[in-house]
Amino acid sequence: LAGSVPEEERCTVERADASLTCSLFLQRGGGCIPVPLPGVPPPQAFRALCTREKLLAAFGALPVRLSTANTYSYRKVDVPFQEYVEQLLKPQDPARLGSDTLYFFGDNNFTEWGSLFQQYVPPPFRIPGTSPAYSFGIAGSGSGVPFHWHGPGYSEVIFGRKRWFLYPPDKTPHFHPNETTLAWLHRTYPALPPAQRPLECTLRPGEVLYFPDRWWHATLNLDTSVFISTFLG
Protein backbone atom coordinates (compact mmCIF):
# COMPACT_ATOMS: atom_id res chain seq x y z
CA LEU A 1 0.00 0.00 0.00
CA ALA A 2 2.92 2.37 0.57
CA GLY A 3 2.82 5.21 -1.93
CA SER A 4 -0.53 4.09 -3.34
CA VAL A 5 -2.92 6.96 -2.71
CA PRO A 6 -5.62 6.89 -5.40
CA GLU A 7 -7.79 9.80 -6.42
CA GLU A 8 -11.43 9.11 -7.17
CA GLU A 9 -12.54 9.42 -10.78
CA ARG A 10 -15.19 12.03 -10.13
CA CYS A 11 -16.44 14.34 -7.44
CA THR A 12 -19.79 13.15 -6.09
CA VAL A 13 -20.47 16.45 -4.31
CA GLU A 14 -22.02 19.09 -6.57
CA ARG A 15 -19.48 21.87 -7.09
CA ALA A 16 -20.40 25.53 -6.92
CA ASP A 17 -19.30 27.75 -9.78
CA ALA A 18 -17.78 31.23 -9.79
CA SER A 19 -21.24 32.87 -9.80
CA LEU A 20 -21.94 31.73 -6.24
CA THR A 21 -22.68 34.63 -3.88
CA CYS A 22 -23.19 34.62 -0.14
CA SER A 23 -26.97 34.77 -0.51
CA LEU A 24 -27.01 31.99 -3.10
CA PHE A 25 -24.78 29.90 -0.85
CA LEU A 26 -27.40 30.10 1.90
CA GLN A 27 -30.30 29.58 -0.53
CA ARG A 28 -28.82 26.39 -2.00
CA GLY A 29 -28.34 24.86 1.43
CA GLY A 30 -25.30 26.45 3.01
CA GLY A 31 -25.25 25.17 6.55
CA CYS A 32 -26.94 21.91 5.54
CA ILE A 33 -25.00 20.30 2.69
CA PRO A 34 -21.32 20.00 1.72
CA VAL A 35 -20.35 22.40 -1.04
CA PRO A 36 -16.98 22.56 -2.86
CA LEU A 37 -16.71 26.31 -3.37
CA PRO A 38 -15.33 28.01 -6.50
CA GLY A 39 -11.63 27.42 -6.99
CA VAL A 40 -9.47 30.53 -6.94
CA PRO A 41 -5.69 30.81 -6.58
CA PRO A 42 -4.71 31.02 -2.91
CA PRO A 43 -3.77 34.55 -1.85
CA GLN A 44 -0.21 34.88 -3.06
CA ALA A 45 1.05 36.57 0.11
CA PHE A 46 -0.21 33.68 2.24
CA ARG A 47 0.86 30.96 -0.20
CA ALA A 48 4.37 32.43 -0.41
CA LEU A 49 4.69 32.20 3.37
CA CYS A 50 3.71 28.51 3.34
CA THR A 51 6.68 27.10 1.44
CA ARG A 52 8.94 24.71 3.33
CA GLU A 53 11.80 27.23 3.33
CA LYS A 54 9.71 30.15 4.58
CA LEU A 55 7.97 28.15 7.31
CA LEU A 56 11.22 26.69 8.62
CA ALA A 57 12.92 30.08 8.61
CA ALA A 58 10.07 31.73 10.52
CA PHE A 59 8.92 28.94 12.86
CA GLY A 60 11.53 26.16 12.80
CA ALA A 61 12.64 26.62 16.41
CA LEU A 62 9.12 26.98 17.81
CA PRO A 63 7.27 24.02 19.34
CA VAL A 64 4.18 22.63 17.64
CA ARG A 65 1.61 20.30 19.17
CA LEU A 66 0.93 17.10 17.27
CA SER A 67 -2.18 14.94 17.67
CA THR A 68 -2.67 11.28 16.95
CA ALA A 69 -4.74 10.55 13.83
CA ASN A 70 -7.54 8.58 15.46
CA THR A 71 -11.18 9.37 16.13
CA TYR A 72 -12.10 9.46 19.81
CA SER A 73 -9.02 9.85 22.04
CA TYR A 74 -6.09 12.03 21.10
CA ARG A 75 -2.55 11.82 22.41
CA LYS A 76 -0.68 15.14 22.22
CA VAL A 77 3.07 15.49 21.65
CA ASP A 78 5.06 18.74 21.53
CA VAL A 79 8.10 18.86 19.21
CA PRO A 80 10.06 21.66 17.51
CA PHE A 81 8.50 22.50 14.16
CA GLN A 82 11.80 21.77 12.38
CA GLU A 83 11.90 18.29 13.88
CA TYR A 84 8.36 17.62 12.66
CA VAL A 85 9.17 18.75 9.11
CA GLU A 86 12.53 17.01 8.81
CA GLN A 87 11.87 13.78 10.73
CA LEU A 88 8.14 13.12 11.09
CA LEU A 89 6.62 14.57 7.90
CA LYS A 90 6.68 11.34 5.88
CA PRO A 91 4.24 9.23 3.85
CA GLN A 92 1.75 7.32 5.97
CA ASP A 93 2.87 3.85 6.98
CA PRO A 94 -0.14 1.69 5.99
CA ALA A 95 0.58 -0.76 8.82
CA ARG A 96 0.58 1.93 11.49
CA LEU A 97 -2.51 2.59 13.59
CA GLY A 98 -4.03 6.05 13.75
CA SER A 99 -3.42 6.09 17.50
CA ASP A 100 0.33 5.77 16.73
CA THR A 101 0.40 8.30 13.88
CA LEU A 102 1.29 11.92 14.75
CA TYR A 103 -0.30 14.69 12.74
CA PHE A 104 0.15 18.49 12.82
CA PHE A 105 -3.26 20.10 12.60
CA GLY A 106 -5.32 22.31 14.82
CA ASP A 107 -3.28 23.08 17.91
CA ASN A 108 -1.86 26.38 16.68
CA ASN A 109 -0.25 29.06 18.82
CA PHE A 110 -1.91 32.19 17.46
CA THR A 111 0.60 34.49 19.15
CA GLU A 112 3.74 32.87 17.79
CA TRP A 113 2.16 32.11 14.38
CA GLY A 114 0.27 35.41 14.19
CA SER A 115 2.32 36.80 11.31
CA LEU A 116 1.17 33.87 9.14
CA PHE A 117 -2.51 33.93 10.05
CA GLN A 118 -2.73 37.68 9.51
CA GLN A 119 -2.05 37.08 5.82
CA TYR A 120 -4.86 34.54 5.36
CA VAL A 121 -8.07 35.64 3.66
CA PRO A 122 -10.89 33.24 4.64
CA PRO A 123 -13.78 32.27 2.34
CA PRO A 124 -16.23 35.15 1.90
CA PHE A 125 -19.28 33.02 2.69
CA ARG A 126 -20.70 33.63 6.14
CA ILE A 127 -23.31 31.80 8.20
CA PRO A 128 -25.30 34.10 10.48
CA GLY A 129 -24.52 33.77 14.17
CA THR A 130 -21.08 32.21 13.75
CA SER A 131 -17.53 33.48 14.14
CA PRO A 132 -14.37 31.98 12.55
CA ALA A 133 -11.42 30.19 14.19
CA TYR A 134 -8.46 29.02 12.11
CA SER A 135 -6.73 25.65 12.18
CA PHE A 136 -3.52 25.24 10.16
CA GLY A 137 -1.90 21.95 9.20
CA ILE A 138 0.88 20.24 7.28
CA ALA A 139 0.87 16.50 6.60
CA GLY A 140 2.54 13.81 4.53
CA SER A 141 1.22 11.77 1.63
CA GLY A 142 -1.33 9.16 2.72
CA SER A 143 -1.95 10.80 6.08
CA GLY A 144 -5.32 12.05 7.23
CA VAL A 145 -7.93 12.02 9.95
CA PRO A 146 -10.41 9.10 10.14
CA PHE A 147 -14.15 9.64 10.40
CA HIS A 148 -15.31 12.16 12.99
CA TRP A 149 -17.72 15.08 13.21
CA HIS A 150 -17.89 18.56 14.74
CA GLY A 151 -19.33 21.97 13.94
CA PRO A 152 -19.40 23.56 10.46
CA GLY A 153 -16.56 25.23 8.62
CA TYR A 154 -14.37 25.44 5.54
CA SER A 155 -11.23 23.61 4.51
CA GLU A 156 -8.84 25.13 1.97
CA VAL A 157 -5.82 23.46 0.37
CA ILE A 158 -2.74 25.66 -0.09
CA PHE A 159 -0.32 23.02 -1.44
CA GLY A 160 -0.99 19.41 -2.43
CA ARG A 161 -4.32 17.58 -2.78
CA LYS A 162 -6.75 16.45 -0.09
CA ARG A 163 -9.44 13.82 -0.64
CA TRP A 164 -12.63 14.08 1.43
CA PHE A 165 -15.22 11.43 2.36
CA LEU A 166 -18.53 12.62 3.87
CA TYR A 167 -21.69 11.08 5.34
CA PRO A 168 -24.76 12.96 6.64
CA PRO A 169 -25.37 12.98 10.41
CA ASP A 170 -27.96 10.18 10.24
CA LYS A 171 -25.67 7.78 8.35
CA THR A 172 -22.83 6.61 10.60
CA PRO A 173 -19.96 5.18 8.53
CA HIS A 174 -18.44 1.78 9.17
CA PHE A 175 -14.89 2.31 10.44
CA HIS A 176 -12.51 1.45 13.27
CA PRO A 177 -11.55 4.52 15.33
CA ASN A 178 -7.84 3.57 15.41
CA GLU A 179 -7.63 2.71 11.70
CA THR A 180 -6.08 5.34 9.43
CA THR A 181 -8.03 6.73 6.50
CA LEU A 182 -5.51 5.10 4.13
CA ALA A 183 -6.14 1.66 5.65
CA TRP A 184 -9.93 2.23 5.57
CA LEU A 185 -9.73 3.21 1.89
CA HIS A 186 -7.92 0.00 0.95
CA ARG A 187 -9.71 -2.44 3.28
CA THR A 188 -13.27 -1.22 3.84
CA TYR A 189 -14.13 1.16 1.01
CA PRO A 190 -13.87 -1.39 -1.88
CA ALA A 191 -16.42 -3.68 -0.21
CA LEU A 192 -19.05 -0.98 0.33
CA PRO A 193 -22.20 -1.32 -1.81
CA PRO A 194 -22.80 1.78 -3.95
CA ALA A 195 -25.65 2.92 -1.70
CA GLN A 196 -23.32 2.85 1.34
CA ARG A 197 -20.45 4.79 -0.19
CA PRO A 198 -19.77 8.32 1.04
CA LEU A 199 -19.95 11.55 -0.84
CA GLU A 200 -16.39 12.35 -1.85
CA CYS A 201 -14.26 14.92 -3.58
CA THR A 202 -10.61 15.88 -4.00
CA LEU A 203 -9.54 19.46 -3.30
CA ARG A 204 -6.59 20.99 -5.14
CA PRO A 205 -4.65 24.16 -4.30
CA GLY A 206 -6.97 27.13 -4.01
CA GLU A 207 -10.12 25.00 -3.65
CA VAL A 208 -12.34 25.17 -0.59
CA LEU A 209 -14.88 22.72 0.81
CA TYR A 210 -17.71 23.73 3.12
CA PHE A 211 -18.39 20.93 5.64
CA PRO A 212 -21.77 21.17 7.41
CA ASP A 213 -22.55 20.85 11.09
CA ARG A 214 -22.28 17.29 12.45
CA TRP A 215 -21.54 15.65 9.12
CA TRP A 216 -19.20 12.66 9.40
CA HIS A 217 -16.03 13.18 7.40
CA ALA A 218 -12.59 11.65 6.88
CA THR A 219 -9.65 13.18 5.02
CA LEU A 220 -6.73 11.77 3.06
CA ASN A 221 -3.77 13.85 1.88
CA LEU A 222 -2.79 12.57 -1.56
CA ASP A 223 0.46 14.56 -1.48
CA THR A 224 2.50 16.30 1.17
CA SER A 225 -0.04 19.02 1.85
CA VAL A 226 -0.46 22.41 3.49
CA PHE A 227 -4.02 23.30 4.40
CA ILE A 228 -6.11 25.54 6.64
CA SER A 229 -9.61 25.21 8.04
CA THR A 230 -11.96 27.91 9.21
CA PHE A 231 -14.24 26.56 11.95
CA LEU A 232 -17.51 28.42 12.41
CA GLY A 233 -18.49 28.45 16.08
Side-chain angles (χ1 to χ4, degrees):
L1 302 184
S4 177
V5 188
E7 180 176 339
E8 82 284 359
E9 296 180 359
R10 64 190 180 93
C11 177
T12 58
V13 184
E14 182 182 357
R15 288 182 176 271
D17 60 32
S19 66
L20 184 68
T21 63
C22 292
S23 60
L24 287 175
F25 169 68
L26 294 173
Q27 289 175 22
R28 65 174 287 175
C32 303
I33 59 174
V35 180
L37 302 172
V40 295
Q44 292 306 307
F46 185 75
R47 182 181 172 89
L49 292 174
C50 291
T51 65
R52 175 188 173 99
E53 294 76 15
K54 289 285 189 179
L55 288 173
L56 284 175
F59 309 109
L62 298 179
V64 291
R65 178 156 292 178
L66 311 181
S67 301
T68 50
N70 55 332
T71 298
Y72 296 122
S73 60
Y74 300 99
R75 179 168 57 93
K76 305 288 186 180
V77 177
D78 292 338
V79 300
F81 179 63
Q82 184 167 350
E83 179 181 334
Y84 174 69
V85 171
E86 295 181 348
Q87 300 182 30
L88 301 176
L89 185 59
K90 298 177 180 179
Q92 174 70 48
D93 180 348
R96 200 174 186 88
L97 292 175
S99 53
D100 295 325
T101 300
L102 293 173
Y103 192 76
F104 174 45
F105 176 60
D107 287 294
N108 305 130
N109 186 311
F110 286 89
T111 300
E112 295 177 337
W113 290 67
S115 60
L116 179 66
F117 291 113
Q118 288 168 9
Q119 296 292 332
Y120 181 61
V121 179
F125 306 95
R126 295 288 180 265
I127 296 178
T130 65
S131 58
Y134 297 147
S135 189
F136 181 71
I138 304 171
S141 171
S143 65
V145 179
F147 281 104
H148 63 289
W149 58 265
H150 43 62
Y154 305 100
S155 178
E156 179 171 356
V157 173
I158 308 303
F159 288 105
R161 296 168 298 153
K162 181 183 284 287
R163 186 172 173 180
W164 280 73
F165 307 90
L166 303 108
Y167 285 98
D170 60 352
K171 194 173 182 180
T172 303
H174 177 69
F175 71 101
H176 189 286
N178 282 339
E179 185 179 50
T180 64
T181 305
L182 182 63
W184 174 88
L185 179 65
H186 283 283
R187 297 168 185 165
T188 302
Y189 180 90
L192 293 175
Q196 295 181 22
R197 290 201 168 186
L199 293 172
E200 55 188 289
C201 204
T202 295
L203 299 184
R204 295 169 180 81
E207 293 187 321
V208 181
L209 176 76
Y210 169 73
F211 49 86
D213 187 26
R214 301 184 185 226
W215 273 61
W216 288 96
H217 56 279
T219 60
L220 180 68
N221 297 294
L222 303 185
D223 314 295
T224 298
S225 301
V226 179
F227 44 91
I228 188 168
S229 291
T230 304
F231 290 97
L232 302 173

